[in-house]
Coordinates of all heavy atoms in Angstrom, one line a residue:
G283 N 6.8 -3.3 -0.8 CA 5.5 -3.7 -0.2 C 5.5 -3.6 1.3 O 4.6 -3.2 1.9
E284 N 6.7 -4.0 1.9 CA 6.9 -3.9 3.4 C 6.7 -2.5 3.8 O 6.1 -2.2 4.9 CB 8.2 -4.5 3.7 CG 8.5 -4.6 5.2 CD 9.8 -5.2 5.6 OE1 10.5 -5.5 4.6 OE2 10.1 -5.2 6.8
E285 N 7.4 -1.6 3.1 CA 7.3 -0.2 3.5 C 5.9 0.4 3.4 O 5.5 1.1 4.2 CB 8.3 0.7 2.7 CG 8.4 2.1 3.0 CD 8.9 2.4 4.4 OE1 9.5 1.5 5.0 OE2 8.8 3.6 4.8
I286 N 5.2 0.1 2.3 CA 3.9 0.5 2.1 C 3.0 0.0 3.2 O 2.2 0.7 3.8 CB 3.3 0.1 0.8 CG1 4.1 0.7 -0.4 CG2 1.8 0.4 0.6 CD1 3.7 0.2 -1.8
S287 N 3.2 -1.3 3.5 CA 2.4 -1.9 4.6 C 2.6 -1.2 6.0 O 1.7 -0.9 6.7 CB 2.7 -3.4 4.7 OG 2.0 -4.0 5.8
R288 N 3.9 -0.9 6.2 CA 4.2 -0.3 7.5 C 3.7 1.1 7.5 O 3.1 1.5 8.6 CB 5.8 -0.2 7.6 CG 6.2 0.3 9.0 CD 7.7 0.5 9.0 NE 8.1 1.5 8.1 CZ 8.1 2.8 8.3 NH1 7.6 3.3 9.5 NH2 8.5 3.7 7.5
R289 N 3.8 1.9 6.5 CA 3.4 3.3 6.5 C 1.9 3.5 6.4 O 1.3 4.5 7.0 CB 4.0 4.1 5.4 CG 5.6 4.2 5.6 CD 6.3 4.7 4.3 NE 5.8 6.1 4.0 CZ 6.4 6.8 3.1 NH1 7.4 6.3 2.4 NH2 6.0 8.1 2.8
L290 N 1.2 2.6 5.8 CA -0.3 2.8 5.7 C -1.1 1.9 6.6 O -2.3 2.0 6.8 CB -0.7 2.5 4.3 CG -0.1 3.4 3.1 CD1 -0.7 3.0 1.8 CD2 -0.4 4.8 3.5
G291 N -0.4 0.9 7.2 CA -1.1 0.0 8.2 C -2.0 -0.9 7.5 O -3.2 -1.2 8.1
I292 N -1.7 -1.4 6.3 CA -2.6 -2.3 5.6 C -1.8 -3.5 5.2 O -0.6 -3.5 5.2 CB -3.1 -1.7 4.3 CG1 -2.0 -1.3 3.4 CG2 -4.1 -0.5 4.7 CD1 -2.6 -0.6 2.1
S293 N -2.5 -4.6 4.9 CA -1.8 -5.9 4.6 C -1.2 -5.9 3.2 O -1.6 -5.1 2.4 CB -2.8 -7.0 4.7 OG -3.7 -7.0 3.7
R294 N -0.3 -6.9 3.0 CA 0.2 -7.0 1.6 C -0.9 -7.4 0.6 O -0.8 -7.0 -0.6 CB 1.4 -8.1 1.6 CG 2.5 -7.8 2.6 CD 3.3 -6.6 2.1 NE 4.2 -7.0 1.1 CZ 5.4 -7.5 1.2 NH1 5.9 -7.7 2.5 NH2 6.2 -7.8 0.3
T295 N -1.8 -8.1 1.1 CA -2.9 -8.5 0.2 C -3.7 -7.2 -0.2 O -4.1 -7.1 -1.4 CB -3.9 -9.5 0.8 OG1 -3.1 -10.7 1.1 CG2 -5.1 -9.8 -0.1
A296 N -4.0 -6.4 0.7 CA -4.7 -5.1 0.4 C -3.9 -4.2 -0.5 O -4.5 -3.6 -1.4 CB -5.0 -4.4 1.7
I297 N -2.5 -4.3 -0.3 CA -1.7 -3.5 -1.3 C -1.9 -4.0 -2.7 O -2.0 -3.3 -3.7 CB -0.3 -3.6 -0.9 CG1 -0.1 -2.9 0.5 CG2 0.6 -2.9 -1.9 CD1 1.3 -3.1 1.1
W298 N -1.9 -5.3 -2.9 CA -2.0 -6.0 -4.2 C -3.2 -5.6 -4.8 O -3.3 -5.3 -6.0 CB -1.8 -7.5 -4.0 CG -1.9 -8.2 -5.4 CD1 -0.9 -8.4 -6.3 CD2 -3.1 -8.6 -6.0 NE1 -1.4 -9.0 -7.4 CE2 -2.7 -9.2 -7.2 CE3 -4.4 -8.8 -5.5 CZ2 -3.6 -9.8 -8.1 CZ3 -5.4 -9.3 -6.4 CH2 -5.0 -9.9 -7.7
K299 N -4.4 -5.6 -4.0 CA -5.7 -5.3 -4.5 C -5.8 -3.9 -4.9 O -6.4 -3.5 -5.9 CB -6.7 -5.7 -3.5 CG -7.0 -7.2 -3.2 CD -8.1 -7.4 -2.2 CE -8.3 -8.9 -2.0 NZ -9.4 -9.1 -1.0
A300 N -5.1 -3.0 -4.1 CA -5.1 -1.6 -4.4 C -4.4 -1.3 -5.8 O -4.9 -0.6 -6.6 CB -4.5 -0.8 -3.3
V301 N -3.2 -2.0 -6.0 CA -2.5 -1.8 -7.2 C -3.3 -2.3 -8.4 O -3.3 -1.7 -9.4 CB -1.1 -2.5 -7.1 CG1 -0.4 -2.6 -8.4 CG2 -0.2 -1.8 -6.0
D302 N -3.9 -3.4 -8.2 CA -4.7 -4.0 -9.3 C -5.9 -3.0 -9.7 O -6.2 -2.8 -10.9 CB -5.3 -5.3 -8.8 CG -6.1 -6.0 -9.9 OD1 -5.5 -6.3 -11.0 OD2 -7.3 -6.3 -9.8
A303 N -6.5 -2.5 -8.7 CA -7.6 -1.5 -8.9 C -7.1 -0.3 -9.7 O -7.7 0.3 -10.6 CB -8.3 -1.1 -7.6
L304 N -5.9 0.2 -9.3 CA -5.3 1.4 -10.0 C -5.0 1.1 -11.4 O -5.2 1.9 -12.3 CB -4.0 1.8 -9.2 CG -4.2 2.5 -7.8 CD1 -2.9 2.6 -7.1 CD2 -5.0 3.7 -7.9
R305 N -4.5 -0.1 -11.7 CA -4.2 -0.5 -13.0 C -5.4 -0.5 -13.9 O -5.4 -0.1 -15.1 CB -3.5 -1.9 -13.0 CG -2.0 -1.8 -12.6 CD -1.5 -3.2 -12.4 NE 0.0 -3.2 -12.1 CZ 0.6 -4.2 -11.6 NH1 0.0 -5.3 -11.2 NH2 2.0 -4.1 -11.3
R306 N -6.5 -1.0 -13.3 CA -7.8 -1.1 -14.0 C -8.4 0.3 -14.3 O -9.1 0.5 -15.3 CB -8.9 -1.9 -13.3 CG -8.6 -3.4 -13.4 CD -9.6 -4.3 -12.8 NE -9.5 -4.5 -11.4 CZ -10.2 -3.9 -10.4 NH1 -11.1 -3.1 -10.7 NH2 -9.9 -4.2 -9.1

C-alpha cells in the first residue's frame, strides 16, 4: 500500500476504496 500511495500520489484510504470498488 505504501508503494501504491507513493507512485500514484493517493492516500491509503483512497487505495482501500479503489480496491473495494474493483472487487465489486
